Amino acid sequence: MSTKAIVFAAGLLSLVAAASAGAQSVRVVNEGGIRDEWTLSPGAKLAAPGYPGAFAERGDNVCLAVGYRINPDGSTSDFSLLKSWSSSTGESEPAEGFWDAFAQASVAALQQWKFTPKPEITTSRAVDTVATMTFMGKQAEDPAGLRAKCGIKDLASFLEQVKSDMAKRGDMNRHQLKNTYRQQTRSEMIRTPRG
């Protein structure tokens, strides 16, 4: 697993853990749901990601939903690729490193985002949310339609589903390991003559 993949996996795990924690220290809010407590820092802009040069020749229209945390100091962290879509292959990765390149571009933009608590907020607290990033390629496409392909309407429910899926895969992996062990043990018993 690449370092970048590990970072995204760690980000996803932290978002899933926050969703599981419920009403503890980290809130989970939908895209745009931070407005009640946060505003852009003075002079800050919501930087948009650039189209990755390595895949510019392909020219796919692409969208990503990237989960991230706004820390109490207003910085962003714990990035995680939650959804992805390409005009050439849908949710399947069109080429090796494709999603990683677009995720890196998205994170580079998100790292520039800086927030400030609203004046009425006396104690700022971390919040997990999501940003839908779009990349227009060579084909004309309605920007709202492209965003809709990756938009997550209910982030908390989405993260709960991810947690459930991860648990099922974990159970499946344990089951597969037990079956593999049993098969190996049986094979060894058959090959080992009894004396």
Side-chain angles (χ1 to χ4, degrees):
M1 184 180 274
S2 74
T3 304
K4 293 170 215 132
I6 291 169
V7 169
F8 281 113
L12 179 59
L13 290 175
S14 71
L15 289 174
V16 169
S20 301
Q24 290 183 356
S25 61
V26 179
R27 289 187 321 140
V28 175
V29 300
N30 294 329
E31 187 166 17
I34 64 167
R35 291 185 183 112
D36 61 337
E37 292 187 17
W38 295 95
T39 186
L40 274 176
S41 292
K45 293 185 178 8
L46 293 178
Y51 201 101
F55 295 101
E57 187 59 37
R58 287 185 60 91
D60 294 356
N61 293 334
V62 176
C63 66
L64 302 178
V66 180
Y68 68 101
R69 174 167 293 162
I70 300 174
N71 298 301
D73 68 357
S75 64
T76 57
S77 67
D78 297 331
F79 308 102
S80 138
L81 179 59
L82 302 176
K83 266 177 117 173
S84 51
W85 182 88
S86 164
S87 58
S88 65
T89 59
E91 294 177 5
S92 299
E93 186 168 34
E96 187 174 336
F98 189 86
W99 296 139
D100 192 43
F102 284 90
Q104 285 181 55
S106 297
V107 168
L110 283 166
Q111 287 175 323
Q112 297 176 52
W113 294 12
K114 182 76 173 162
F115 299 93
T116 301
K118 288 195 164 185
E120 63 272 17
I121 303 300
T122 56
T123 305
S124 60
R125 56 189 174 147
V127 61
D128 288 339
T129 189
V130 63
T132 305
M133 302 295 199
T134 60
F135 302 82
M136 287 298 193
K138 295 177 180 178
Q139 305 159 341
E141 184 161 346
D142 172 46
L146 181 58
R147 280 184 57 79
K149 290 175 173 55
C150 289
I152 297 174
K153 292 184 188 329
D154 184 346
L155 182 59
S157 294
F158 180 89
L159 294 174
E160 280 299 320
Q161 185 61 51
V162 168
K163 178 184 172 192
S164 173
D165 292 347
M166 289 169 69
K168 287 176 187 171
R169 277 196 300 269
D171 288 344
M172 184 176 71
N173 289 340
R174 282 190 289 281
H175 180 72
Q176 288 172 334
L177 288 171
K178 285 179 184 178
N179 282 342
T180 301
Y181 174 76
R182 284 186 197 125
Q183 288 173 353
Q184 287 175 340
T185 304
R186 285 185 195 134
S187 296
E188 288 172 8
M189 289 174 66
I190 292 169
R191 283 183 280 170
T192 306
R194 295 182 186 184

